[in-house]
């Protein structure tokens, strides 16, 4: 029974998807010019921007259908901003992408490689914990509440993961951490502990920590929602810098102005589904769906 | 009328109040803002303090002058080799049981938090059993079943003590004591450790696994060090209980501190009170040493959790002196 229901949702989605593809092609011409000089910056960091595909993902919390057949394609270097009311499944979508949450149906892939599962004949089989952890180290994640490790210094927060995952030696990792901290404007804070920093500074450290693994894509889960209005700007500036450098970013946020400024594509979610997506000029200024218009009229 | 409060405020903000003489206010007393606020007198507090001081002095006087305590005999016994041998055994038993108990407790806590229902159930039953049975019963059980011990030992996860099993009679008693105390200690420690792990924010687990940190690293370097902050005070509490609990090993014929006091007491019945005082003094010393260690361990693990670390006793003394000096300077200035 549920299988039939699913199939119908997939069918209804195919039509808007074709529209999207046309939109994406238009959009590529717009962004294409900006990426050329930025590629060097990423080269310096050693980051290869990756593509993310979310295919027909369903997720339930008990009886609550949190993700209801989400379909999303993010091309390498693209900046995608996810908007939507709270409880619409935005954060869950991000957490499914790096497999912090396991989808019940559907799958996610990074550059064509399945995340958290492998193909087993006609079915998908869960991967071992160690493999999943390895995959996660290629997906950066920035939390709303920073979640820095309070017992480690800022430098160790950034340098820990590359060492623990065996990617770099300790001195290499510390050097990289210093470079990254300089890049987010916190070179002088490397020996401080996270609780001694302001929220904005903590979030910038968290971004440096995510960058230390040279991830192909970075996911931001409401990165400025826990910050004083005054401190939002410094974090957005760092994200903007990353966006310009051509890293693949997926950002859940409530900052509409910021979305308009940096997004290549805006995705609007409600009730666990993607209601509408397209370039910011279209979704934010000329929304097609009633629900999107309603949301934007309240937020803007 | 309206002038005087205004004058007080303005003189507060401009430091040299006397420098600007006002001809229309002749020979005014010091402006209000420049004067020291008189603290509230609390006579009740002084009376209670005096009463308590008198009581404390009485107790101290009694302790010193009452011949019942026989302080000369206390002095005689305090560093006797028999007592020190007993103390050594107390320390050994307490040390091994504390280490094995904590290790067992960590394993039990991990089992209790594991996704496997079997591990969870086993851990729960173990904790339930050993928290329910009095330690003395466990010890006597082990003592009386020491003939069966070899076969029993195979499944019990506390290793090192077994190597001493086949040796002299003392070593065997020691093994029984350590095993008994460890079994008991592990049950309590598991709850202490579990509480500590649960006190670590869920976001820390998520951040660690989002970074792809290996599972063992997540526990050893991220979660456990943070858990230790709340484990330490609780485990030290447990440890002090354990040190006193070692006095029960006397019943499995091991002459610990309490045991040697008991045996000396039966040989010299007149000295029972000073001997008990000797035991009291040594247990006090052990607990004090543990408390001092606790302070520094806690201080170490609160790095990052507090913006400023609590001062060490030495720093407290120094800060106190500085405070007194500052106050003296203030008083003389006013």
């Amino acid at each position: 029974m549920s299988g039939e229901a699913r199939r119908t949702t997939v069918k209804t989605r195919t039509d808007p998807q074709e529209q999207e593809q046309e939109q994406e092609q238009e959009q590529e011409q717009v962004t294409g010019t900006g990426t050329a000089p930025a590629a060097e910056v990423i080269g310096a960091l050693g980051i290869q921007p990756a593509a993310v595909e979310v295919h027909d993902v369903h997720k339930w919390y008990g009886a609550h259908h949190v993700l209801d057949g989400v379909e999303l394609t993010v091309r390498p270097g693209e900046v995608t901003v996810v908007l939507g009311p709270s409880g619409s499944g935005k954060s869950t979508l991000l957490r499914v992408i790096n497999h912090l949450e396991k989808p019940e149906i559907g799958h996610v892939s990074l550059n064509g490689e399945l995340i958290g599962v492998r193909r087993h004949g006609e079915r998908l089989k869960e991967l071992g914990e160690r493999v999943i952890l390895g995959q996660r180290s290629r997906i950066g994640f920035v939390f709303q509440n920073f979640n820095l490790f309070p017992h480690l210094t800022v430098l160790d927060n950034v340098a820990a993961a590359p060492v623990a995952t065996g990617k770099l030696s300790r001195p290499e990792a510390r050097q990289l951490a210093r470079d990254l901290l300089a890049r987010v404007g916190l070179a002088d804070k490397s020996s401080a502990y996270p609780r001694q920093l302001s929220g904005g500074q903590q979030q910038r450290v968290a971004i440096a920590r995510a960058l230390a693994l040279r991830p192909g894509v970075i996911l931001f889960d409401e990165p400025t929602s826990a910050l004083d209005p005054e401190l939002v700007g410094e974090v957005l500036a760092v994200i903007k810098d990353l966006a310009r450098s051509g890293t693949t970013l997926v950002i859940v946020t409530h900052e509409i102005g910021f979305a308009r400024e940096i997004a290549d594509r805006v995705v609007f979610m409600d009730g666990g589904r993607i209601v509408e997506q397209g370039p910011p000029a279209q979704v934010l200024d000329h929304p097609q769906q009633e629900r999107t218009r309603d949301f934007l009229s309240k937020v803007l | 009328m309206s002038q005087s409060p205004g004058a007080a405020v303005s003189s507060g903000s401009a430091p040299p109040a006397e420098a600007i003489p006002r001809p229309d206010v002749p020979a005014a007393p010091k402006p209000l803002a420049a004067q020291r606020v008189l603290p509230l007198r609390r006579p009740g507090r002084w009376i209670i303090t005096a009463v308590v001081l008198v009581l404390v002095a009485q107790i101290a006087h009694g302790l010193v002058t009452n011949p019942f305590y026989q302080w000369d005999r206390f002095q005689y016994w305090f560093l006797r080799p028999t007592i020190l041998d007993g103390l050594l055994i107390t320390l050994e038993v307490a040390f091994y049981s504390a280490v094995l108990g904590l290790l067992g407790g960590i394993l039990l806590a991990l089992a209790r938090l594991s996704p496997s229902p079997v591990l969870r159930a086993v851990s729960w039953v173990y904790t339930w059993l050993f928290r329910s049975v009095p330690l003395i019963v466990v010890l006597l059980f082990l003592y009386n079943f020491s003939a069966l011990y070899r076969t029993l030992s195979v499944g019990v996860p506390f290793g090192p003590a077994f190597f001493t099993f086949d040796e002299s009679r003392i070593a065997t008693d020691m093994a029984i004591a350590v095993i008994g105390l460890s079994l008991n200690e592990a049950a309590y420690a598991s709850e202490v450790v579990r509480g500590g792990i649960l006190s670590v924010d869920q976001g820390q687990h998520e951040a660690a696994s989002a970074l792809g940190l290996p599972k063992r690293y997540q526990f050893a370097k991220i979660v456990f060090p943070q858990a230790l902050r709340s484990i330490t005070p609780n485990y030290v509490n447990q440890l002090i209980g354990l040190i006193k609990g070692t006095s029960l090993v006397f019943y499995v014929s091991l002459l610990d501190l309490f045991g040697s006091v008991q045996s000396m007491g039966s040989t010299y019945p007149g000295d029972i009170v000073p001997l008990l005082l000797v035991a009291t003094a040594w247990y006090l010393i052990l607990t004090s040493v543990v408390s001092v260690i606790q302070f520094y361990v806690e201080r170490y693990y609160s790095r990052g959790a507090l913006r400023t670390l609590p001062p060490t006793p030495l720093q407290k003394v120094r800060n106190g002196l500085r405070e007194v000096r500052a106050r003296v300077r203030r008083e003389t200035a006013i």
Side-chain angles (χ1 to χ4, degrees):
Chain A
M1 241 176 71
S2 64
E4 275 178 13
R6 222 178 304 132
R7 218 166 293 137
T8 52
T9 57
V10 172
K11 259 178 207 162
T12 50
R13 225 180 303 97
T14 46
D15 292 338
Q17 214 178 323
E18 279 167 21
Q19 289 175 358
E20 281 161 28
Q21 277 168 0
E22 289 167 28
Q23 290 157 7
E24 281 165 23
Q25 280 160 9
E26 287 171 35
Q27 182 196 320
E28 194 157 344
Q29 293 165 347
V30 182
T31 52
T33 49
T35 48
E40 292 166 32
V41 183
I42 322 169
L45 267 178
I47 288 180
Q48 272 308 324
V52 179
E53 262 176 74
V54 177
H55 184 66
D56 192 25
V57 159
H58 289 258
K59 172 85 193 162
W60 283 266
Y61 288 142
H64 180 45
H65 205 161
V66 204
L67 291 180
D68 184 1
V70 172
E71 196 85 34
L72 179 71
T73 308
V74 179
R75 280 164 302 130
E78 196 178 35
V79 177
T80 304
V81 170
V82 184
L83 299 176
S86 46
S88 59
K90 308 175 303 267
S91 292
T92 311
L93 174 62
L94 283 197
R95 296 160 65 87
V96 161
I97 293 177
N98 82 339
H99 212 71
L100 274 179
E101 302 281 356
K102 296 166 192 161
E104 266 93 32
I105 300 169
H107 59 260
V108 174
S109 62
L110 187 75
N111 279 343
E113 180 192 339
L114 292 173
I115 296 296
V117 290
R118 66 187 164 86
R119 216 174 284 279
H120 183 73
E122 288 297 295
R123 310 197 57 182
L124 293 175
K125 208 173 175 183
E126 206 178 338
L127 282 171
E129 179 113 30
R130 192 171 299 190
V131 187
I132 295 177
L133 286 169
Q135 290 181 330
R136 279 210 196 106
S137 68
R138 281 179 279 139
I139 305 173
F141 201 103
V142 176
F143 295 87
Q144 181 178 348
N145 298 318
F146 333 130
N147 289 341
L148 291 176
F149 304 132
H151 61 302
L152 300 180
T153 61
V154 163
L155 188 75
D156 287 336
N157 261 281
V158 181
V163 178
T165 53
K167 291 192 177 178
L168 293 178
S169 72
R170 185 169 290 273
E172 282 170 340
R174 292 176 81 86
Q175 190 49 52
L176 173 68
R178 270 186 218 102
D179 294 346
L180 288 170
L181 286 172
R183 185 169 167 180
V184 299
L186 292 171
D188 55 331
K189 296 290 183 191
S190 56
S191 56
Y193 286 96
R195 297 236 166 99
Q196 296 165 330
L197 305 182
S198 73
Q201 290 170 330
Q202 289 191 50
Q203 192 60 296
R204 285 187 279 155
V205 173
I207 293 171
R209 178 174 73 171
L211 281 171
L213 288 164
R214 300 184 170 109
V217 52
I218 306 179
L219 313 174
F220 291 86
D221 188 6
E222 301 196 21
T224 58
S225 297
L227 298 178
D228 287 346
E230 241 186 321
L231 305 175
V232 168
E234 61 187 67
V235 172
L236 293 186
V238 171
I239 301 175
K240 246 179 254 176
D241 173 49
L242 281 176
R244 252 181 260 122
S245 73
T247 318
T248 311
L249 306 179
V250 182
I251 307 167
V252 169
T253 185
H254 293 297
E255 305 275 339
I256 306 283
F258 177 67
R260 194 191 304 278
E261 195 179 338
I262 68 152
D264 295 318
R265 187 208 321 224
V266 172
V267 172
F268 177 73
M269 282 184 78
D270 187 38
R273 295 159 180 263
I274 292 180
V275 174
E276 187 165 0
Q277 57 176 313
Q282 183 202 315
V283 176
L284 297 176
D285 300 328
H286 308 287
Q288 305 294 306
Q289 300 293 325
E290 183 58 39
R291 185 70 190 91
T292 318
R293 273 198 289 273
D294 186 42
F295 175 77
L296 288 172
S297 71
K298 282 174 191 155
V299 176
L300 285 175
Chain B
M1 265 290 282
S2 64
Q3 230 172 9
S4 67
V9 171
S10 68
S11 67
S13 56
E18 292 87 348
I20 315 152
R22 287 167 164 271
D24 51 326
V25 187
K30 253 189 190 174
L32 261 186
Q35 292 196 40
R36 200 163 151 257
V37 177
L38 296 175
L40 178 64
R41 301 284 170 210
R42 298 175 189 277
R45 194 183 284 173
W46 284 105
I47 291 167
I48 291 169
T49 309
V51 170
V52 170
L53 272 179
V54 168
L55 285 176
V56 169
Q58 259 175 350
I59 291 168
H61 176 258
L63 271 175
V64 175
T65 57
N66 194 333
F68 174 74
Y69 294 116
Q70 305 177 59
W71 287 106
D72 53 327
R73 298 304 289 162
F74 172 88
Q75 226 170 349
Y76 171 81
W77 284 114
F78 189 64
L79 292 173
R80 267 309 96 168
T82 28
I83 299 291
L84 293 185
D85 287 346
L87 180 67
L88 196 67
I89 287 182
T90 292
L91 284 174
E92 266 180 72
V93 171
F95 176 78
Y96 289 127
S97 313
V99 171
L100 292 177
L102 183 59
L103 288 178
I106 292 172
L107 292 181
L108 284 167
L110 287 177
R112 185 76 190 280
L113 295 168
S114 91
S116 155
V118 173
L119 289 181
R120 279 206 305 270
V122 167
S123 170
W124 184 86
V125 168
Y126 179 96
T127 308
W128 166 77
L129 184 68
F130 280 94
R131 285 203 306 185
S132 308
V133 182
L135 176 55
I136 183 74
V137 176
V138 175
L139 285 172
L140 289 176
F141 239 107
L142 291 176
Y143 190 59
N144 287 304
F145 279 82
S146 59
L148 294 175
Y149 215 73
R150 198 185 281 277
T151 50
L152 277 174
S153 70
V154 179
V156 184
F158 303 103
F162 292 109
F163 297 117
T164 56
F165 180 74
D166 286 332
E167 290 170 18
S168 68
R169 180 70 195 156
I170 292 289
T172 313
D173 287 342
M174 180 72 122
I176 289 171
V178 168
I179 290 164
L181 283 166
S182 302
L183 288 173
N184 185 70
E185 185 67 7
Y188 288 95
S190 82
E191 285 298 89
V192 169
V193 171
R194 190 171 69 95
I197 292 173
L198 290 180
S199 76
V200 176
D201 182 28
Q202 185 59 29
Q204 295 291 309
H205 297 268
E206 283 183 1
S209 77
L211 283 169
L213 301 177
K215 205 75 187 152
R216 187 175 297 189
Y217 188 96
Q218 286 187 26
F219 180 73
K221 295 289 171 70
I222 305 295
V223 176
F224 196 60
Q226 293 185 61
L228 274 173
R229 194 167 124 71
S230 68
I231 288 175
T232 310
N234 290 322
Y235 189 68
V236 168
N237 220 6
Q238 207 47 53
L239 197 62
I240 288 172
L242 173 74
I243 289 174
K244 292 187 295 182
T246 56
S247 58
L248 291 177
V249 304
F250 170 64
Y251 293 100
V252 293
S253 64
L254 197 62
L255 282 183
D256 70 319
L257 178 58
F258 176 71
S260 32
V261 162
Q262 265 306 66
S263 73
M264 285 298 109
S266 52
T267 321
Y268 303 88
D271 282 356
I272 287 234
V273 170
L275 279 166
L276 288 176
L277 282 174
V278 164
T280 308
W282 276 117
Y283 284 120
L284 276 174
I285 290 169
L286 293 186
T287 309
S288 311
V289 169
V290 169
S291 304
V292 169
I293 296 170
Q294 173 188 8
F295 174 82
Y296 284 97
V297 171
E298 261 180 51
R299 195 168 180 276
Y300 178 81
Y301 283 111
S302 59
R303 279 171 322 159
L306 305 172
R307 277 164 206 249
T308 50
L309 290 176
T312 62
L314 199 68
Q315 287 169 335
K316 257 188 210 160
V317 169
R318 247 185 268 143
N319 290 346
L321 285 177
R322 200 176 305 139
E323 184 66 26
V324 168
R325 245 180 281 135
R327 192 192 277 186
V328 167
R329 221 173 295 137
R330 231 181 299 139
E331 300 274 333
T332 49
I334 294 172

